[in-house]
């Protein structure tokens, strides 16, 4: 970083490769150096069109980014080549949502593995489901059955209700006495513990997400979201796509503004013509658009 600062660059251009690029972007901002984030898809397509190959080379990519800066930023600005800057609060909302999605994916893998073992260890609970309500998760309130399965009966102010624990104990004892399963193994109990820990992690990040969503600058958006009954995660994904909303008014006429909004939400249609056939495809493209699309529908 000291070497970069010593060069006194007027701007730094980079590909936003998730968490790795985040470190460099934060460091450069602290040093007061402007940062432009180039669209990775556009660079990939440009690399192939100029070089005739999809082979990736860091020196060649650096040259392409410099050429892109002069051609599509200095000479004639083209928004397609650049990742737009968003308010810090919106970036934090997106990070929370991505973390929640990552936690959900890993927890689902552990749940599936645990259920595959319960088929012969405790068949009566091989299809157990833990219901959760988005926006109301509590790190201290664990999924009751999985907590019971690993012996995690209390957390903070939360306790498994005595009646619920007695019910689980009796069901398990009755099943084992009847020969319906080999009994919950230590491995399955550890998997149940992991499920509870992933639940805690998701709840903690969701509470952080709610703190950002409740900021006063988003009140005008929430008044619209309330009319559609969107949950907190749907609201979060929409905010990451359409804030600041003023950008939509830069697109004239209104038909283009609406098309821009649909594209940002992952609902943009692309027309495909082949001979006598003409049809439209809804192409989501970027990950943020895919998540927004899936949460809305």
């Amino acid at each position: 970083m000291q070497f970069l600062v010593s060069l006194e660059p007027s701007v730094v251009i980079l590909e936003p490769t998730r968490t790795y690029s985040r470190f460099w972007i934060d460091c450069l901002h602290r040093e007061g150096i402007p940062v432009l984030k180039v669209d990775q898809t556009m660079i990939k397509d440009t690399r192939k069109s100029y070089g005739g190959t999809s082979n990736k080379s860091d020196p060649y990519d650096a040259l392409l980014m410099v050429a892109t800066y002069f051609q599509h930023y200095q000479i004639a600005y083209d928004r397609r080549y650049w990742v737009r800057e968003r308010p810090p609060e919106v970036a934090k909302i997106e990070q929370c949502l991505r973390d929640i999605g990552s936690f959900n994916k890993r927890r689902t893998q552990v749940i599936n593995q645990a259920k595959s073992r319960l088929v012969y260890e405790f068949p009566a609970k091989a299809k157990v489901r833990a219901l959760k309500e988005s926006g109301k998760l509590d790190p201290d309130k664990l999924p009751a059955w999985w907590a019971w399965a690993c012996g995690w009966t209390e957390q903070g102010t939360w306790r498994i209700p005595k009646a619920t624990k007695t019910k689980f104990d009796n069901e398990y004892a009755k099943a084992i006495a009847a020969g319906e399963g080999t009994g919950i193994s230590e491995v399955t109990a550890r998997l149940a513990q992991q499920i509870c820990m992933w639940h805690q992690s998701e709840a903690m990040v969701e509470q952080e997400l709610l703190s950002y969503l409740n900021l006063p600058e988003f009140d005008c958006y929430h008044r619209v979201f309330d009319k559609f009954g969107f949950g907190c995660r749907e609201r979060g994904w929409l905010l990451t796509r359409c804030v600041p909303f003023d950008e939509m008014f830069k697109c004239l006429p209104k038909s283009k503004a609406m098309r821009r909004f649909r594209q940002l939400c992952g609902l943009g249609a692309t027309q495909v013509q082949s001979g006598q056939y003409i049809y439209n495809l809804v192409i989501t493209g970027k990950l943020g658009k895919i998540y927004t699309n899936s949460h809305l529908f």
Side-chain angles (χ1 to χ4, degrees):
M1 179 54 62
Q2 292 177 350
F3 173 72
L4 286 176
V5 174
S6 67
L7 296 176
E8 299 182 357
S10 58
V11 64
V12 171
I13 308 165
L14 51 77
E15 291 183 271
T17 52
R18 298 293 180 86
T19 53
Y20 179 73
S21 64
R22 182 178 175 181
F23 166 78
W24 290 103
I25 292 171
D26 291 343
C27 290
L28 290 166
H29 281 164
R30 282 197 296 270
E31 296 293 338
I33 300 174
V35 178
L36 289 177
K37 295 177 286 187
V38 68
D39 187 279
Q40 292 174 285
T41 303
M42 297 300 290
I43 285 294
K44 180 180 179 181
D45 293 342
T46 305
R47 183 195 309 126
K48 190 171 183 179
S49 64
Y50 283 173
T53 178
S54 296
N55 294 338
K56 184 173 175 60
S57 166
D58 288 340
Y60 185 47
D61 279 357
L63 179 61
L64 282 177
M65 285 190 283
V66 171
T68 300
Y69 170 71
F70 284 107
Q71 183 175 353
H72 300 291
Y73 192 87
Q74 289 280 37
I75 299 175
Y77 178 75
D78 188 339
R79 65 173 177 81
R80 297 174 300 170
Y81 285 85
W82 308 101
V83 178
R84 63 194 182 113
E85 284 291 335
R86 293 170 299 173
E89 297 78 9
V90 175
K92 291 175 181 177
I93 287 175
E94 183 168 6
Q95 184 60 50
C96 288
L97 291 167
R98 292 188 186 280
D99 287 342
I100 289 174
S102 178
F103 295 157
N104 267 324
K105 182 178 180 179
R106 286 164 173 76
R107 185 183 59 184
T108 299
Q109 292 173 342
V110 179
I111 288 175
N112 291 338
Q113 188 174 1
K115 286 183 176 181
S116 69
R117 298 179 64 87
L118 288 173
V119 169
Y120 56 86
E121 293 181 356
F122 192 5
K125 294 297 183 179
K127 295 184 178 181
V128 65
R129 296 182 62 186
L131 299 178
K132 61 177 183 177
E133 189 173 357
S134 175
K136 297 184 179 180
L137 298 184
D138 185 348
D140 287 340
K141 189 175 182 181
L142 306 176
W145 193 87
W146 293 113
W148 172 87
C150 67
W152 197 344
T153 57
E154 60 182 64
Q155 171 64 37
T157 59
W158 175 82
R159 304 286 188 281
I160 291 183
K162 185 176 180 181
T164 302
K165 184 178 183 301
T166 302
K167 175 186 175 184
F168 292 157
D169 289 338
N170 292 339
E171 288 177 345
Y172 183 65
K174 182 179 179 181
I176 297 302
E180 298 175 356
T182 60
I184 297 176
S185 66
E186 183 65 24
V187 174
T188 304
R190 290 297 181 93
L191 292 173
Q193 185 181 34
Q194 290 181 40
I195 293 169
C196 293
M197 294 176 69
W198 284 122
H199 172 87
Q200 277 190 315
S201 299
E202 180 183 356
M204 292 170 64
V205 175
E206 186 180 78
Q207 289 186 346
E208 182 183 357
L209 169 66
L210 291 173
S211 69
Y212 294 130
L213 291 178
N214 291 330
L215 292 174
E217 52 261 43
F218 299 133
D219 287 345
C220 57
Y221 296 93
H222 289 308
R223 286 196 292 271
V224 178
F225 296 157
D226 289 340
K227 296 180 180 181
F228 296 91
F230 289 143
C232 68
R233 299 182 188 181
E234 290 79 8
R235 293 169 187 249
W237 280 117
L238 282 169
L239 287 174
T240 63
R241 307 316 304 167
C242 65
V243 174
F245 196 74
D246 293 345
E247 287 187 359
M248 307 299 165
F249 298 106
K250 297 177 183 178
C251 300
L252 295 175
K254 290 184 178 180
S255 59
K256 290 187 177 180
M258 177 60 72
R259 184 172 63 187
R260 174 67 174 151
F261 178 71
R262 290 179 61 85
Q263 288 174 343
L264 289 173
C265 291
L267 303 173
T270 299
Q271 188 178 77
V272 178
Q273 296 186 6
S274 178
Q276 60 181 334
Y277 298 103
I278 301 177
Y279 54 94
N280 292 326
L281 294 176
V282 176
I283 300 178
T284 54
K286 296 181 181 178
L287 190 60
K289 297 180 183 180
I290 295 174
Y291 279 137
T292 308
N293 187 309
S294 63
H295 274 76
L296 288 176
F297 292 92

